Each structure stands twice: as structure tokens, then as C-alpha cells.
Amino acid sequence: MDFGLVLQTDPPATKVIELMQRAERNGFTHGWTFDSAVLWQEPFVIYSQILAKTDRLMVGTMVTNPSTRTPEVTASTFATLNDMYGNRTICGIGRGDSAMRVAGRTPNTLARISDAMRIIKALGAGQEADLGGATIKFPWAKEGCEVPVWMAAYGPKALKMTGEEADGFILQLADLYLTEWMVKAVRDAAVAAGRDPADVKICVAAPGYVTEDDSPEALAHARDQCRWFGGMVGNHVADLVSKYGEGTGMVPQELTDYIKSREGYDYSHHGRTGNPDTAFVPDEIVDRFCLIGTAETHIEKLKALRAVGVDQFALYNMQDTKESVIDTYGERIIPAVNA
């Protein structure tokens, strides 16, 4: 199993770079960041420094969207980084929850994401792409370049499109039942489209908080550090309920039950520990969606995730133990999972 580290590009950028270097030293293979131009600093500027100061780490967006950056701009940015540092980037893409809504816009449609994935993959590989009015090609792109595109998804139509078109699937929760259900949906769609399902990489992204023991006090603190994540996922679930309705069978009941007391969401607190808009998230959801507890608990759940088809676990690291959780993963958890 591969391991990734997910950060927000909060200033100072030097801290983000240092944490990514620390992650590589501890056996992490991927470094991901949020991409929301209003809320955080520009990730691609920081990626250039991360790539320059690491040797093997792959970097990518978790996730960008096709409106705040047009597909040809996104493709050019990734392809430039690859030209400078080798093929060490992945374009994670989605509807643009925070990036669009914080600017007063509506998240992107699946059709727009589909067009963007096609354009980014073609241009990133030095091929021609039809932009819907002009056919273009990067004259400077070298042979052998590539920009894999991984799609973030939850709903049935998005999962189907991921299996049909994307190079990877980003699932932002670590619940075993839901992961197995969604991985199957993606792989079934890949098979129906005539693809080898193994060609679609599966990445589960969630917070992980390592405790010294399973005491009530330690677990309570860990849950409070990670509760924000249930609120973030709740935004996507609310969209699914609005689109498909509740109890229709289109979205698992296990995913929709907990948002019934959700009242609103202020994106100025997005992805932050102590987010006041996530009080509705119960402890059970935190435990299911995240990795909470001792190193042994993490190892057990990671092995279970791998057993249902997960290729990479990407660790959201926004809590008060950033350095120590990276070190614990490197010293104890990653070696045990990959023994």
C-alpha cells in the first residue's frame, strides 16, 4: 500500500515543504494539498519547491476543479512541473466544493469534469486536445510525459464516470463498508467500459490521529481534532441527498443518516480543527470515517482497507500532532502494513 500526506497550503509555505520532506523520509510516496485559491496559498508554486527538495515524492491536488483553473492551464502547469522534475505529479480533480462556493459559484457539473479530464490527460501527454472551438497541442511537451488524472467522487453517476474515464479514484472517507461499496461501483463501471479495473488506482483519504492508549480522554481529544472531516464530507452528502433524495437506494443510508441535524456550513472554517459547524457530527462517524486510536488500531484498519482494494491511504494532517503522526507512521505503521 502507498501512503500519502495531505496538507492545506497555509502560510508559511516553508512549513508545508518541510512536512512533505519529513513525509518522504518516513516512507510516504505521495504529497497532496487542497486547492482553493481564496482559502489557501497557491499550491503549484509550493509544489515546485516540494519537488525540488524531495527525490521521489509524487505531488498532486486533492482536489482542483475545471473552473477556477481552465483545463489547458491545469494541464500546462502539471506538464511544466513534469518537464522540470520528471513525471512526479497527479491531477486530482472534482466538482470544486470549497473553491467554487467560497467565491459564490456553483460546483462544476460532471460533464465539465469529463471534458476537463480528457483535455488534461491529452495535453499532459503531449497530444492534441479539442477545447470545443480550437484544437491545441503544447509544442514544448516532450515524449514520455504524462499527467494521470484521479477523480474524487461519492455519488452513483460520479462513481460510474470515475470507473469509465479516470486513472484513479479519490474517496474522502475511510469507512470500511462505504469504501467497499464505492470501490465495487468504480470497478464494475470500469469493467463495463471495457477497462481493466486494476488500471484505476484507489486512494482513500482521511484524517489519522495516533493515540498512546485507548483511554476515554485520549480518544475524546483525537475525535475532537478530526471532527471537522465529518462536516466536510457532510457537504458532499447534502448535495447527494438534494440530487437523488433520501431512501432511494441511490446513496447508502449509512452515508446519509448523520447529516439530518446539519444546519449550515461556513467555508472560512473549512478543513479546520475546531470547526464550529461540525458539532452535529457524532463520535461514531468520526471513528468510522477517520483512523482514530493506537498505532495497532491504525494498522488493523489499513490492512482491512487494503483487503477491499485500496491502493493508497492519504493521511489528512491538520491536527495538533503533525510531526509526530508522520514519524509514527514512518516508524511503526507503514512498515507493519507493508511487511
Side-chain angles (χ1 to χ4, degrees):
M1 177 183 276
D2 284 332
F3 285 83
L5 184 73
V6 189
L7 299 174
Q8 296 164 334
T9 51
D10 287 317
T14 53
K15 183 65 173 179
V16 178
I17 297 163
E18 289 169 2
L19 288 170
M20 290 299 188
Q21 290 176 295
R22 192 181 196 114
E24 183 180 64
R25 291 195 301 270
N26 277 281
F28 286 78
T29 56
H30 292 68
W32 305 90
T33 76
F34 286 34
D35 177 22
S36 188
V38 174
L39 297 176
W40 299 287
Q41 290 186 328
E42 173 54 40
F44 288 99
V45 176
I46 300 171
Y47 292 166
S48 190
Q49 287 293 301
I50 294 171
L51 289 165
K53 294 182 178 181
T54 57
D55 297 318
R56 303 169 303 281
L57 200 71
M58 300 284 291
V59 303
T61 47
M62 192 169 281
V63 293
T64 193
N65 74 86
S67 287
T68 54
R69 307 177 195 277
T70 60
E72 68 272 21
V73 171
T74 299
S76 179
T77 308
F78 276 112
T80 300
L81 290 172
N82 284 343
D83 185 61
M84 294 172 67
Y85 301 105
N87 290 333
R88 291 175 56 196
T89 66
I90 297 173
C91 175
I93 196 167
R95 296 180 65 228
D97 177 48
S98 63
M100 296 296 285
R101 285 184 166 126
V102 78
R105 304 187 184 114
T106 303
N108 292 271
T109 64
L110 292 181
R112 186 167 178 82
I113 296 172
S114 177
D115 284 342
M117 290 199 296
R118 171 183 55 80
I119 293 167
I120 292 167
K121 286 196 286 186
L123 293 177
Q127 301 168 2
E128 291 186 344
D130 181 2
L131 302 187
T135 299
I136 65 169
K137 179 180 180 180
F138 296 151
W140 46 266
K142 296 178 181 177
E143 185 177 349
C145 58
E146 62 176 358
V147 179
V149 182
W150 294 14
M151 182 175 166
Y154 290 105
K157 291 183 179 179
L159 294 170
K160 181 174 182 290
M161 195 172 89
T162 300
E164 293 171 343
E165 303 177 28
D167 298 307
F169 167 40
I170 297 173
L171 173 58
Q172 296 175 89
L173 56 79
D175 178 81
L176 289 172
Y177 171 81
L178 293 170
T179 298
E180 184 174 15
W181 187 88
M182 293 186 187
V183 168
K184 182 179 185 303
V186 169
R187 288 185 166 165
D188 286 351
V191 171
R195 303 181 68 192
D196 183 347
D199 289 342
V200 185
K201 296 298 182 183
I202 308 296
C203 175
V204 159
Y209 199 100
V210 184
T211 60
E212 289 295 325
D213 53 45
D214 288 326
S215 67
E217 294 79 15
L219 293 176
H221 179 74
R223 289 174 181 130
D224 285 343
Q225 288 289 303
C226 299
R227 200 174 305 277
W228 64 268
F229 185 67
M232 186 182 83
V233 174
N235 297 328
H236 303 290
V237 176
D239 284 346
L240 293 176
V241 172
S242 176
K243 182 178 180 64
Y244 296 107
E246 188 175 353
T248 61
M250 298 292 285
V251 183
Q253 198 71 27
E254 289 84 355
L255 191 59
T256 60
D257 280 347
Y258 84 99
I259 69 162
K260 292 178 180 178
S261 57
R262 177 182 181 271
E263 295 181 354
Y265 194 85
D266 181 351
Y267 279 89
S268 66
H269 304 294
H270 189 61
R272 306 286 189 190
T273 296
N275 186 334
D277 297 323
T278 60
F280 72 93
V281 181
D283 287 351
E284 178 194 3
I285 288 295
V286 180
D287 291 348
R288 288 177 60 178
F289 284 13
C290 307
L291 276 73
I292 301 288
T294 63
E296 290 71 26
T297 301
H298 285 241
I299 292 165
E300 181 182 1
K301 188 165 185 177
L302 287 164
K303 287 182 176 179
L305 286 168
R306 183 175 59 190
V308 298
V310 176
D311 299 300
Q312 179 184 157
F313 174 65
L315 170 72
Y316 278 107
N317 197 17
M318 288 84 181
Q319 69 277 2
D320 59 3
T321 57
K322 290 182 176 66
E323 288 82 5
S324 67
V325 75
I326 293 171
D327 293 345
T328 302
Y329 261 71
E331 294 164 6
R332 299 174 61 188
I333 297 174
I334 295 175
V337 172
N338 287 334

